[in-house]
Amino acid sequence: MNQPIGEPAQTASMRSLMTDLFPLCRSITGEGVRQTLRRIQAEIPVSVYEVPTGTPVLDWTVPEEWNVRSAWIKDPSGNTLVDLTDSSLHLMSYSEPIRARMSLPELKEHLHSLPDRPTSVPYVTSYYRRNWGFCLRHDLLETLVDNGRYEVFIDSDFTQGSLTYGELVVPGSTGDEILITTHICHPSMANDNLSGIAVVCELAKLVAASPRRLTFRFLFIPGTIGSITWLATHRAEVEHITGGMVVTGVGDLGDPCWKRPRANHTPIDRVARNILASRGEHRVMEFYPYGYDERQFCSPGFDLAVGRFGRQVHGEYPEYHTSADDLSFVHDASMGESLRILSSIVDGIDANLTYVNLEPYGEPQLGRRDLYRDVGGAVDRRSAEMAVLWMLSLSDGTNDVEAISTRSGIDMVTLAAAADRLNAAGLLGLSADPGAALR
């Protein structure tokens, strides 16, 4: 790669993408999703796909497409109380159209606020049940008085359209795939939505910049219905997926967090935990069937080894799913660190091969093969030499690079470099079972 990960150019690119996407009114379908994907296409060559309304997808059906042009509430004096143009969060997603006047008690049946967070606007949806609603600050709601008729207006429609998603495949030298996904359906929230999009875009650039053994498939999808639709329409591709990550909430100040796949101790799980352990404070969560799209990919019928990477966990911080999750809540340093960790996981799983020592009887003469050459300072040289010895000692066809890293305490990058040197010297060969490291 041309520059260290997390350098100013990458940070500026991520921040610019988030700033451009923040105002867009996104949902699980509609023009907001298409606008989002067009902006992503300015960063990476994502292909855009449309799945028609009514398409059966597993136990679900692709819903009608929803679009909205305008929405507001006016008080009895004609003053605008909330307006979609101020924030996409003011309108409950998938609200049906309405123009009416009503009393305050009638209106309150369709108003959503957060009494415990009175200055924040909540994020509310009604995807699969026809309804309408507005979201507002609770401190504003408490000022409303029943002194006349309030006017409400929502200019929206439901059509036989489609569900839209984006996909980028970076081919490797083998047919085995790693799936990396992020959701694109949440409007006007920076951490829970946009930080994942921005970091995954930069990660895709890094993956595409170097030759890879594994194929990497990047998905930009609406939450839940997007992953269900993709799984239903890509049964053949699913067979090649050996692991993956759902990326979301990667810009806040919390410690990096890995939620393990349903299938524990898989290579992607071991590599992710190995990388995080080498980087200091972090959190590992056991799998549970709630959260983001990992629960779809890990469902028993598919049982893909897909974990989730983020920072603070959804629902555990007060800004979650509110207007407080704005661009100021996301920190460039956190996104940069998240990108570095994800890139290390990607590099680690791509290099996580199982080797066999081709000279297993005694220690081979390393000096005449220039494997004790000066590689820098004394500490670096010693680390490189120990990596060579550990790779020779444990490469018996049963241990992959991650397993050797865990036992030796040497990071995977150093061990993978030692494996490359030993392989070039004819001392290591790949296991006769090349898929061992993927199971």
Side-chain angles (χ1 to χ4, degrees):
M1 59 195 72
N2 295 326
Q3 59 183 2
I5 299 170
E7 285 298 294
Q10 291 169 318
T11 299
S13 178
M14 290 189 286
R15 179 62 65 173
S16 174
L17 177 58
M18 293 176 59
T19 301
D20 290 347
L21 293 180
F22 190 81
L24 300 182
C25 185
R26 286 181 299 281
S27 188
I28 55 173
T29 64
E31 284 304 312
V33 175
R34 296 187 185 95
Q35 288 177 293
T36 298
L37 289 169
R38 284 195 289 271
R39 177 61 181 86
I40 291 171
Q41 285 178 319
E43 301 292 323
I44 56 176
V46 168
S47 297
V48 175
Y49 298 92
E50 305 275 357
V51 182
T53 295
T55 302
V57 286
L58 306 181
D59 194 44
W60 299 57
T61 302
V62 174
E64 290 179 296
E65 182 176 324
W66 178 77
N67 286 289
V68 60
R69 287 158 291 280
S70 179
W72 44 259
I73 303 173
K74 293 184 179 179
D75 68 14
S77 299
N79 300 309
T80 300
L81 296 174
V82 294
D83 195 317
L84 180 67
T85 59
D86 294 331
S87 171
S88 298
L89 295 181
H90 279 313
L91 182 66
M92 181 177 74
S93 188
Y94 260 64
S95 284
E96 59 187 353
I98 185 174
R99 182 156 204 167
R101 293 180 179 273
M102 61 190 69
S103 67
L104 181 59
E106 292 174 306
L107 176 60
K108 280 186 173 180
E109 295 295 318
H110 297 274
L111 297 183
H112 304 272
S113 67
L114 297 167
D116 61 331
R117 284 164 281 175
T119 62
S120 295
V121 178
Y123 170 54
V124 180
T125 67
S126 185
Y127 296 140
Y128 302 106
R129 179 178 296 177
R130 285 295 177 91
N131 201 348
W132 64 270
F134 285 88
C135 304
L136 70 167
R137 293 164 48 140
H138 191 71
D139 59 1
L140 173 60
L141 176 62
E142 289 189 311
T143 68
L144 304 185
V145 293
D146 190 12
N147 62 348
R149 309 291 281 180
Y150 287 75
E151 185 177 5
V152 297
F153 176 68
I154 301 173
D155 180 15
S156 64
D157 58 46
F158 297 83
T159 61
Q160 295 295 303
S162 61
L163 177 146
T164 314
Y165 70 90
E167 182 177 68
L168 171 63
V169 178
V170 180
S173 60
T174 72
D176 296 311
E177 290 192 6
I178 297 296
L179 182 67
I180 298 174
T181 81
T182 192
H183 64 291
I184 58 173
C185 52
H186 287 22
S188 299
M189 286 176 285
N191 194 47
D192 179 25
N193 198 191
L194 296 182
S195 67
I197 293 173
V199 169
V200 169
C201 281
E202 290 302 311
L203 181 63
K205 294 176 188 177
L206 293 171
V207 169
S210 304
R212 299 285 171 175
R213 176 177 64 92
L214 298 172
T215 291
F216 288 85
R217 186 181 296 267
F218 296 88
L219 291 182
F220 298 84
I221 52 179
T224 303
I225 188 62
S227 55
I228 286 172
T229 297
W230 189 87
L231 286 165
T233 55
H234 291 77
R235 293 297 186 99
E237 288 82 354
V238 165
E239 297 299 318
H240 298 286
I241 294 172
T242 62
M245 297 182 286
V246 173
V247 179
T248 182
V250 289
D252 61 72
L253 291 176
D255 291 331
C257 178
W258 172 251
K259 178 182 174 182
R260 304 181 70 184
R262 176 178 176 271
N264 274 346
H265 304 293
T266 54
I268 187 76
D269 177 52
R270 291 190 290 111
V271 169
R273 288 186 291 121
N274 182 300
I275 296 298
L276 283 169
S278 71
R279 288 181 174 268
E281 293 295 324
H282 68 283
R283 180 178 178 184
V284 174
M285 302 178 65
E286 294 300 319
F287 176 81
Y288 60 99
Y290 184 74
Y292 291 92
D293 284 316
E294 70 276 1
R295 69 190 194 275
Q296 311 305 334
F297 297 116
C298 292
S299 57
F302 294 107
D303 198 22
L304 300 177
V306 175
R308 187 182 75 226
F309 177 80
R311 302 184 80 88
Q312 293 189 78
V313 178
H314 57 88
E316 294 185 7
Y317 56 97
E319 296 83 1
Y320 175 71
H321 273 195
T322 77
S323 58
D325 182 6
D326 59 17
L327 290 169
S328 68
F329 182 63
V330 170
H331 298 265
D332 292 343
S334 296
M335 287 198 297
E337 182 188 36
S338 296
L339 179 60
R340 287 191 293 273
I341 292 170
L342 286 166
S343 180
S344 294
I345 294 173
V346 162
D347 290 344
I349 194 65
D350 200 46
N352 193 37
L353 295 165
T354 300
Y355 291 93
V356 176
N357 187 336
L358 301 180
E359 293 286 345
Y361 299 101
E363 182 179 296
Q365 188 177 14
L366 301 177
R368 67 180 174 85
R369 293 179 171 89
D370 204 21
L371 291 172
Y372 274 148
R373 66 179 180 272
D374 188 358
V375 293
V379 174
D380 288 340
R381 182 170 64 250
R382 177 64 174 166
S383 176
E385 291 171 356
M386 288 306 300
V388 165
L389 295 175
W390 274 108
M391 286 303 304
L392 287 171
S393 180
L394 296 186
S395 290
D396 57 4
T398 66
N399 296 303
D400 59 19
V401 173
E402 191 284 324
I404 298 172
S405 173
T406 296
R407 184 165 177 181
S408 68
I410 299 174
D411 67 89
M412 292 185 66
V413 172
T414 302
L415 288 170
D420 287 342
R421 294 170 61 202
L422 289 164
N423 181 258
L427 295 177
L428 281 190
L430 288 176
S431 167
D433 181 7
L438 297 173
R439 293 195 292 272

